[in-house]
Amino acid sequence: MWRFVILLVGLTCASLPAAADSRFAGCDVEQSRIIDDAFGTAKDLTLKAAVAVGDTADYQRWFGDYSAANAEQVRASLKSIVVALRSGAVTAQCDLVTDEGCDGGNYAWVYAHEPYLMHLCPSFFNLPPLTALRPGDRRSDNGTREGTIVHEISHFRPVAQTEDHCYSRSECSQMAQRDARRAIENADSYQYFTEDVTYFARQPMADKPPPAPRANR
Ligand SMILES: [Zn+2]
């Protein structure tokens, strides 16, 4: 009898598809690979963004008037995102479009008080990877996988405890010019800064394109 049960278990396991990553609940193998790639790239790009904090056009576009104190907070927040990703503590759950939080057209969402679980909605997987974009590529208007990860991790209380004061490139770049204080505590501002530092890294300053216009959403 026991031999039979063990054999049955063995057969059942053998017939299952390759195991998905245990850090990514509800995600299939392909989704797990995409998330793992995006976490790795997001970590590298956020570190580059932290190093790029300074009195630059990219900084002013997303965080408003430069001040040493504000820049220090921005740099610290970006570094906290890197530390969270580097620690391996960030996990993800693949939710259905009908699940709470994914029914409003969101790409991803988190509870700030539940680090480091990121809820990913099906549309997250349709976003382009940031490294595939070139300056001026309009697909960036709706965000990128890595930018979305930066946005969500910035919300966690042990990271940067950011808010959503605005959404979209046009609204957030306007808010930064009006209210730098709010910009440096705003999740989308960290996303766009990190994306722009990457897009425009190889562009001479004089050739930098203006911020992309807002896509309807
Ligand atoms: Zn948010």
Side-chain angles (χ1 to χ4, degrees), residues 151-152 155 164 167 187:
H151 175 119
E152 299 304 334
H155 280 317
D164 288 316
Y167 287 112

Side-chain angles (χ1 to χ4, degrees), residues 175-196:
M175 189 189 75
Q177 310 321 308
R178 282 197 315 271
D179 194 338
R181 200 57 232 170
R182 278 166 86 80
I184 66 171
E185 58 184 34
N186 183 61
D188 255 9
S189 308
Y190 287 92
Q191 168 172 349
Y192 300 140
F193 179 73
T194 303
E195 289 179 345
D196 283 5

